Amino acid sequence: SQKIEQNSEALNIQEGKTATLTCNYTNYSPAYLQWYRQDPGRGPVFLLLIRENEKEKRKERLKVTFDTTLKQSLFHITASQPADSATYLCALVGGGYNKLIFGAGTRLAVHP
Amino acid sequence: EAGVTQFPSHSVIEKGQTVTLRCDPISGHDNLYWYRRVMGKEIKFLLHFVKESKQDESGMPNNRFLAERTGGTYSTLKVQPAELEDSGVYFCASSQDLSGQGGYGYTFGSGTRLTVV
């Protein structure tokens, strides 16, 4: 069956460290993958999109990698800050679908 | 520019009643999507409009749910009659291009929290 898996346990890190979140997928062949941030009581906010022919994408302190062989994307936040604390969702489209399918998200807590 | 607006932000209704949720997408966005998150689960797709046409309604749970998008502008999602399992947060999103593939992703509203008691 098709699955998108993100770490269900919260990730706790110290301010200033790099946070790394994982997104694994099964039985999809996504043309691209997206990452979103969600704060409590709000809708997801788009962060980055990476295409299947791109290995890495950066935006300010954010970096996303996409390995179609491993069927995995990694999301990194460097020099993390308490304001980065939120739930991060990966989402993908592909295989003939026209809609985003979301993972359950990983909650990140950055401690001062 | 104004974002995606959803109304109401919260709704508490009794089982068997009817509720209508509204979504105003970003002006000019042809693509409009409804998603739902029930307690502890991932955000799940309900349906997709391109302008006023339903492109994909494969995620609609059953015929108690009816979505419309009048004139390709705002959209409504009606639940009639509501059941307990319909409780959750209903999100609307819009995008300029299909599936946000142009690099701008989806823009989501803040959601409507529906509680059926």
Side-chain angles (χ1 to χ4, degrees), chain B residues 2-70:
Chain B
V4 175
T5 305
Q6 291 188 247
F7 183 83
S9 56
H10 292 83
S11 180
V12 181
I13 61 171
E14 291 185 352
K15 177 181 168 181
Q17 288 186 321
T18 297
V19 63
T20 300
L21 314 181
R22 173 169 169 144
C23 169
D24 286 77
I26 290 176
S27 177
H29 280 192
D30 289 341
N31 296 282
L32 185 149
Y33 311 84
W34 284 97
Y35 282 80
R36 175 174 77 170
R37 174 175 249 160
V38 295
M39 183 75 77
K41 303 279 192 178
E42 65 270 25
I43 295 173
K44 288 228 163 156
F45 170 82
L46 296 178
L47 89 159
H48 170 209
F49 284 99
V50 177
K51 297 185 180 178
E52 68 275 7
S53 300
K54 288 176 190 172
Q55 181 79 11
D56 180 351
E57 50 184 333
S58 61
M60 294 287 261
N62 50 60
N63 60 10
R64 295 185 293 102
F65 289 74
L66 175 65
E68 294 178 327
R69 190 178 182 193
T70 308

Side-chain angles (χ1 to χ4, degrees), chain A residues 32 34 36 38 51 98 100, chain B residues 35 37 56 99 101 106:
Chain A
Y32 48 93
Q34 303 182 25
Y36 288 76
Q38 187 173 22
R51 302 182 194 283
N98 290 324
L100 281 183
Chain B
Y35 282 80
R37 174 175 249 160
D56 180 351
S99 304
Q101 61 188 301
Y106 288 7

Side-chain angles (χ1 to χ4, degrees), chain B residues 89-102:
Chain B
V89 182
Y90 290 77
F91 291 103
C92 173
S94 70
S95 67
Q96 198 164 28
D97 42 55
L98 193 63
S99 304
Q101 61 188 301

Side-chain angles (χ1 to χ4, degrees), chain A residues 3 16 36 68 83 104:
Chain A
K3 272 194 285 191
Y36 288 76
T68 55

